[in-house]
């Protein structure tokens, strides 16, 4: 990791993770829907990794938690159950690729992120991460975790395209 600080000045943190959900009411997502419909305006999920302090009660995220975000968001953005089973299907493809013995091992593999843990005190630089076309904001989770552990806040955005022309 490149840094302007000497190695003696660098502090290592834990990687905190949380999702912030907002709506961009200046942009339509499902233009033919009523204004009161939850997908009428563009929803935005911002996945945040940040330098964190650790406590014994922290919940360490497992890889299955990250895969389930894909499933949950597929269902949310399509207002359907189209994403049901995605987590298991993706984990199965990983077991085949990595020659792992079970889907459960993949889903239970710990990440370096702690869910909604207390942020470390101080000021930290902000990195904006934009996912690849139609990608998820956590597609490079190890990079994002390492940035947080090295004192950066990362705001990661999904790349999504409305299901219809606006």
């Amino acid at each position: 990791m490149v840094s302007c600080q000497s190695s003696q000045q660098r502090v290592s943190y834990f990687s905190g993770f949380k999702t912030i959900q907002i709506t961009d009411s200046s942009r339509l997502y499902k233009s033919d829907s009523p204004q009161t419909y939850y997908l009428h305006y563009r929803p935005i999920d911002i996945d945040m990794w940040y330098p964190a302090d650790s406590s014994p009660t922290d919940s360490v995220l497992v890889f299955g938690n990250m895969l389930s975000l894909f499933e949950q968001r597929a269902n949310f953005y399509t207002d359907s159950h189209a994403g049901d089973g995605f987590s298991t299907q993706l984990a199965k493809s990983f077991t085949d690729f990595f020659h792992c013995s079970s889907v459960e091992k993949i889903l239970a593999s710990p990440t370096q992120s702690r869910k909604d843990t207390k942020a470390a005190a101080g000021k930290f630089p902000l990195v904006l991460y934009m996912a690849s076309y139609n990608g998820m904001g956590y597609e490079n989770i190890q990079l994002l975790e390492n940035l947080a552990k090295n004192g950066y806040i990362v705001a990661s955005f999904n790349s999504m395209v409305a299901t219809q022309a606006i």
Side-chain angles (χ1 to χ4, degrees), residues 86-152:
F86 278 1
S87 299
T88 304
Q89 290 174 11
L90 286 168
K92 173 73 173 105
S93 67
F94 290 138
T95 60
D96 294 343
F97 182 79
F98 293 114
H99 307 290
C100 183
S101 61
S102 80
V103 169
E104 291 75 25
K105 281 186 179 179
I106 293 287
L107 293 173
S109 296
T111 69
Q112 295 180 43
S113 297
R114 286 156 169 73
K115 183 175 173 56
D116 297 324
T117 194
K118 183 180 180 215
K123 293 182 179 183
F124 302 99
L126 174 65
V127 174
L128 300 178
Y129 178 83
M130 299 298 294
S132 61
Y133 182 74
N134 275 342
M136 301 309 285
Y138 49 84
E139 63 192 11
N140 284 312
I141 184 173
Q142 289 179 321
L143 169 66
L144 307 176
E145 289 173 330
N146 282 326
L147 285 167
K149 288 170 61 178
N150 282 280
Y152 293 85

